[in-house]
């Protein structure tokens, strides 16, 4: 992994990944949490373990090993090296690094990039990374990288940067941020699946067998067009499922909770005997309202990749450092 490349990055690579965020913390705290391996691995989704190797002398590059767990008991191991940081006259620090993996499951071959720490006039630090890499597995690897891996890798980098910001600026440990994110995602998934199932199975696929038509007839609100209204309700519930899954706004969560209560009240008003069924609208409503509460409770303070800038702006570097290792 020796040698230098220009700002275009490794040959054959795609668009470089760029992430930038402003942190209110002081330079030394940010530097420590990004340069010390055991602190770094706590907030960075991309690495499960990072271990520095001994150096022969203080001026040598710092070699390190990293491990990334990808689930199902599988993990990818790789190697890297970083140069001694460059500190400019205006206090900007730049840490240049190279990385790569020969693991048979690794899509990344060799890559390089930098971390840049720029003091802000009003306090705090602008933390920037830019990196790129070669892919393996030929054309299939390049397409997989372009369509799936690179967007996910960029998102994971940005999400991790915001988790680091929350840790430094608000004292929220990364482990708590990750747990919150998992609980929020689970709550949203439960809500979306409940809405989707309710709209698709009993209303669109089996309206007669499920008793949905009988419920509308018992209400007496839509005489003669109960079948059409059942289908319309099913489509609306599918739309709500998709909207809840992809927008996650607190106002929407409140509105869908009101809709859950209204639909449950209407069903029990038309057919009170449903309240005694083993699995009834009231039980489903309680489940969905509990998921709504969990989604709203976990939403506050979640890390978000959207808080990071993903392209260099007028105030940021528009070129990579010429010292990138690859």
């Amino acid at each position: 992994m020796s040698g230098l490349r220009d700002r275009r990055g490794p040959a054959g690579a795609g668009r470089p990944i760029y992430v930038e965020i402003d942190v209110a913390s002081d330079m030394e705290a940010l530097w420590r949490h990004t340069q010390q391996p055991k602190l770094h691995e706590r907030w960075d989704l991309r690495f499960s373990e990072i271990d520095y190797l001994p150096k022969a002398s203080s001026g040598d590059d710092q070699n390190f090993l990293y491990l990334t767990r990808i689930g199902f008991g599988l993990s990818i191991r790789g190697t890297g090296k970083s140069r001694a940081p460059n500190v400019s006259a205006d206090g900007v620090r730049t840490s240049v690094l190279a990385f790569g993996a020969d693991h048979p499951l690794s899509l990344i071959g060799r890559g390089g990039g930098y971390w840049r720490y720029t003091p802000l006039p009003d306090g705090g630090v602008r933390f920037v990374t830019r990196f790129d890499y070669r892919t393996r597995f030929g054309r299939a690897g390049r397409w997989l990288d372009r369509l799936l891996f690179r967007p996910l890798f960029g998102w994971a980098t940005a999400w991790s940067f915001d988790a680091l910001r929350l840790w430094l600026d608000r004292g929220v440990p990364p482990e708590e941020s990750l747990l919150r994110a998992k609980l929020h995602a689970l709550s949203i998934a439960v809500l979306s699946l409940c809405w989707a199932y309710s709209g698709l199975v009993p209303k669109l696929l089996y309206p007669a067998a499920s008793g949905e038509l009988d419920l509308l007839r018992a209400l007496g609100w839509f005489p003669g067009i109960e079948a059409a209204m059942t289908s319309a309700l099913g489509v609306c519930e599918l739309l709500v499922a998709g909207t809840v899954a992809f927008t996650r706004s607190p106002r929407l969560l409140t509105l869908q909770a009101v809709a859950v209560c209204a639909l449950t009240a209407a069903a029990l008003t038309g057919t009170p005997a449903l309240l005694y069924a083993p699995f009834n609208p009231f039980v489903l409503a309680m489940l969905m309202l509990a998921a709504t509460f969990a989604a709203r409770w976990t939403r506050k303070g979640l890390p978000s990749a959207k808080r990071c800038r993903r392209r260099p702006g007028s105030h940021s570097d528009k070129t990579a450092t010429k010292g990138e290792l690859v």
Side-chain angles (χ1 to χ4, degrees):
M1 296 194 299
S2 62
L4 300 175
R5 291 285 180 185
D6 64 17
R7 67 184 187 181
R8 292 172 295 180
R15 181 188 295 274
I17 293 174
Y18 180 92
V19 177
E20 171 188 318
I21 195 169
D22 292 347
V23 180
S25 173
D26 63 272
M27 176 73 78
E28 295 306 322
L30 178 60
W31 183 262
R32 185 170 62 254
H33 282 73
T34 55
Q35 296 293 326
Q36 291 186 10
K38 295 309 172 186
L39 292 176
H40 180 187
E41 65 190 32
R42 288 181 62 185
W43 59 265
D44 201 330
L45 289 179
R46 300 167 298 174
F47 305 104
S48 303
E49 296 179 12
I50 304 171
D51 293 299
Y52 278 1
L53 300 178
K55 294 195 295 183
S57 64
S58 58
D60 289 347
D61 292 340
Q62 175 65 67
N63 292 289
F64 60 89
L65 304 176
Y66 68 85
L67 179 144
T68 301
R69 297 187 181 90
I70 58 176
F72 307 103
L74 300 174
S75 59
I76 293 175
R77 295 181 181 275
T79 61
K81 66 168 63 176
S82 60
R83 286 179 173 165
N86 174 63
V87 182
S88 65
D90 56 0
V92 177
R93 301 185 187 183
T94 303
S95 176
V96 180
L97 69 153
F99 54 89
D102 296 321
H103 193 281
L105 295 177
S106 176
L107 181 63
I108 294 177
R110 292 289 182 266
Y114 68 83
W115 282 358
R116 179 156 293 160
Y117 310 72
T118 304
L120 297 174
D122 298 330
V125 183
R126 178 159 292 140
F127 185 36
V128 175
T129 187
R130 180 189 184 276
F131 62 92
D132 208 346
Y133 52 85
R134 297 186 185 97
T135 58
R136 303 169 68 212
F137 313 126
R139 180 177 296 179
R142 290 193 295 272
W143 276 105
L144 178 61
D145 179 61
R146 178 181 298 180
L147 298 177
L148 180 62
F149 184 79
R150 190 171 292 259
L152 285 176
F153 205 32
W155 173 87
T157 304
W159 191 97
S160 299
F161 270 40
D162 197 45
L164 173 63
R165 179 190 64 86
L166 289 172
W167 190 15
L168 291 173
D169 295 354
R170 301 187 184 180
V172 181
E175 296 82 4
E176 181 179 329
S177 292
L178 185 58
L179 177 60
R180 241 176 212 277
K182 290 178 178 178
L183 291 175
H184 184 77
L186 178 62
S187 303
I188 292 295
V190 168
L191 279 176
S192 298
L193 288 173
C194 286
W195 278 109
Y197 180 88
S198 179
L200 181 63
V201 177
K203 294 181 175 65
L204 293 179
L205 297 181
Y206 308 104
S210 65
E212 290 288 337
L213 283 175
D214 294 334
L215 283 175
L216 282 184
R217 292 191 182 107
L219 281 174
W221 293 353
F222 311 103
I225 58 170
E226 289 88 355
M229 289 304 301
T230 300
S231 297
L233 281 172
V235 171
C236 288
E237 290 184 356
L238 287 177
L239 291 175
V240 172
T243 305
V244 168
F246 292 106
T247 61
R248 306 184 184 184
S249 72
R251 180 175 297 180
L252 174 65
L253 289 173
T254 300
L255 289 176
Q256 65 85 35
V258 172
V260 167
C261 294
L263 290 171
T264 303
L268 294 178
T269 298
T271 311
L274 286 174
L275 192 60
Y276 309 110
F279 187 77
N280 57 69
F282 181 78
V283 173
L284 179 61
M286 292 299 100
L287 171 65
M288 295 179 72
L289 291 175
T292 300
F293 173 80
R296 287 186 60 93
W297 176 69
T298 55
R299 184 182 181 276
K300 186 177 181 181
L302 279 180
S304 174
K306 295 180 180 179
R307 295 193 182 98
C308 296
R309 293 175 284 275
R310 301 299 305 278
R311 292 180 183 274
S314 58
H315 54 269
S316 307
D317 268 347
K318 295 186 178 181
T319 61
T321 179
K322 293 183 178 179
E324 286 186 23
L325 285 160
V326 294

